[in-house]
Amino acid sequence: MTTEDRSSPRRTSVLPGMRPDPDAPLAVLGAWARVWGPDPLRIQGPGGNLSVKRDANLWIKASGSRLDRASSDHGWTEVDWRSCRDALPPPRPGIPGRAAEAAYAELVLRAPRTPAMPRPSMELGMHAVLRARHVAHLHSLSGILTAAMRHGDPRLAVLLHPVRSAGFAVRRVPAARPGLELTWAIARRLEPPTDDTDTLYLLANHGVVWVSNDATRIRQAESDFEARARDVLGLASFGPPEVTEGPNGLECHFDAWPELAWEPRPTFPDFAVFFPDPECQPALRGRSIRVPEGLPPRDAAELVFAQALVGTRARALGLDVVLPRRVANTVAALVLERLRRAPSMGVA
Ligand SMILES: [Zn+2]
């Protein structure tokens, strides 16, 4: 067997007559993608990333791809996670400078086991510093609203009860740019030597990261949290908009919603990444949002849905969900974000 054969992401395929192993890394990832990928309350456009480690190998979502198009043999790439972790620019006080960001981008671009494998998610660093076998990062709108609550808010105890009673620790992470800055922010929250215990990281303005050695425990706790949060946060009456295509872009119609409070400033990084031009932003017109052309319609509609829902419910719940300006103004220029955006924009 060659080195390339050993590291092939198709290594979990089974011979005729053999039963597939449901705990095999790509079987776990494929099952997660089937459940979470099609749900715009959890994932929008090419967002979110999942990974599984086994020994030195880490399988992770390919960058720029939609999770609902991934399966147990497609949409993933493979890296040596310990090498990636050891090569990360070490966390320093403050945010990463230009040299550290450049070194990180180079590390991610060179990470695949073989040159034929796709580029990994730009959140590779975060997945590599978390030692637990399974890591699931979702752009959960419930997670964004929950993370916007202040310490001591009595609603937090209700929202997080299913998480804590399932045995997961909860750690909060302040707003950060995706990639190296988020990796450093997560690294600062690790508590060695128990940093592979079941944990939910609540990322301000970004979503959730579920961490466990047991994939089944993540599935159950994540599902229980989403059910509780959607109920407590009143998300049930706010379905995806009706979308029509015009000559200059999309119109997303929110007439079926009980109310619409459009926040024009980004509430999460992907809104800033995929609508980077201040002169060409989605804009409110009556009960509709007009979306400039450029993105695939489904990606654009999901991002606008998320921005509309977070903004509308945040106003009703008394929460501040505006992405800090420092993050919003700089995230779209990151090298890895430009590469991730390029296929969606038809640039590369
Ligand atoms: Zn993310």
Side-chain angles (χ1 to χ4, degrees):
M1 186 182 272
T2 65
T3 306
E4 189 160 336
D5 290 335
R6 275 203 308 276
S7 60
S8 165
R10 293 175 182 273
R11 62 195 260 170
T12 52
S13 59
V14 291
L15 296 170
M18 285 180 70
R19 280 226 192 114
D21 173 5
D23 296 325
L26 290 175
V28 170
L29 292 169
W32 279 352
R34 266 196 307 281
V35 174
W36 295 332
D39 180 4
L41 287 156
R42 288 180 165 100
I43 295 283
Q44 308 84 31
N49 36 80
L50 317 173
S51 73
V52 178
K53 302 178 185 76
R54 184 171 279 186
D55 303 324
N57 296 323
L58 178 145
W59 289 262
I60 187 168
K61 199 192 82 164
S63 180
S65 61
R66 287 186 60 99
L67 189 59
D68 62 353
R69 299 215 180 109
S71 65
S72 56
D73 62 1
H74 173 78
W76 315 98
T77 194
E78 187 182 337
V79 308
D80 178 328
W81 68 275
R82 291 194 191 98
S83 300
C84 292
R85 180 195 59 193
D86 295 346
L88 282 168
R92 297 201 184 93
I95 62 171
R98 195 172 293 188
E101 287 285 9
Y104 179 70
E106 192 66 19
L107 183 161
V108 173
L109 296 176
R110 290 173 181 267
R113 286 274 197 190
T114 71
M117 291 179 177
R119 191 173 71 246
S121 161
M122 68 174 294
E123 302 294 16
L124 173 63
M126 170 180 79
H127 289 259
V129 297
L130 291 163
R131 284 193 305 125
R133 194 171 303 149
H134 304 95
V135 177
H137 168 44
L138 304 173
H139 290 173
S140 160
L141 307 186
S142 303
I144 292 176
L145 289 164
T146 303
M149 293 180 181
R150 293 178 191 279
H151 289 277
D153 187 319
R155 295 171 294 188
L156 270 179
V158 180
L159 284 160
L160 296 174
H161 179 71
V163 180
R164 294 197 166 109
S165 57
F168 279 71
V170 179
R171 295 179 191 157
R172 304 182 64 152
V173 179
R177 287 195 308 229
L180 185 60
E181 189 179 326
L182 180 58
T183 300
W184 283 8
I186 293 270
R188 290 185 189 112
R189 302 293 285 119
L190 296 177
E191 294 177 10
T194 58
D195 58 5
D196 64 345
T197 51
D198 296 349
T199 304
L200 165 63
Y201 291 89
L202 272 178
L203 311 184
N205 295 102
H206 195 153
V208 292
V209 182
W210 294 91
V211 175
S212 178
N213 286 325
D214 184 335
T216 309
R217 287 174 56 72
I218 290 183
R219 268 289 295 280
Q220 190 61 52
E222 193 277 344
S223 167
D224 291 348
F225 166 70
E226 281 291 336
R228 170 68 61 92
R230 291 178 192 193
D231 183 31
V232 172
L233 299 169
L235 306 188
S237 320
F238 299 85
E242 189 187 326
V243 179
T244 55
E245 290 192 49
N248 300 312
L250 299 181
E251 292 257 1
C252 296
H253 305 282
F254 292 91
D255 309 81
W257 282 20
E259 75 256 12
L260 170 65
W262 178 248
E263 170 54 69
R265 296 166 294 180
T267 62
F268 52 90
D270 270 4
F271 195 81
V273 168
F274 288 97
F275 298 110
D277 182 354
E279 304 298 318
C280 203
Q281 291 286 305
L284 181 67
R285 231 178 57 140
R287 295 273 280 184
S288 300
I289 304 297
R290 178 173 279 185
V291 189
E293 59 187 347
L295 275 178
R298 188 156 166 225
D299 293 0
E302 289 174 355
L303 290 163
V304 165
F305 166 63
Q307 174 78 3
L309 185 52
V310 169
T312 298
R313 291 312 295 154
R315 183 172 298 183
L317 295 162
L319 302 172
D320 177 7
V321 286
V322 176
L323 186 64
R325 202 187 316 197
R326 179 189 66 75
V327 177
N329 288 353
T330 57
V331 65
L334 290 173
V335 168
L336 293 171
E337 288 290 22
R338 291 209 308 266
L339 289 169
R340 189 166 75 95
R341 188 170 61 229
S344 296
M345 299 294 205
V347 177

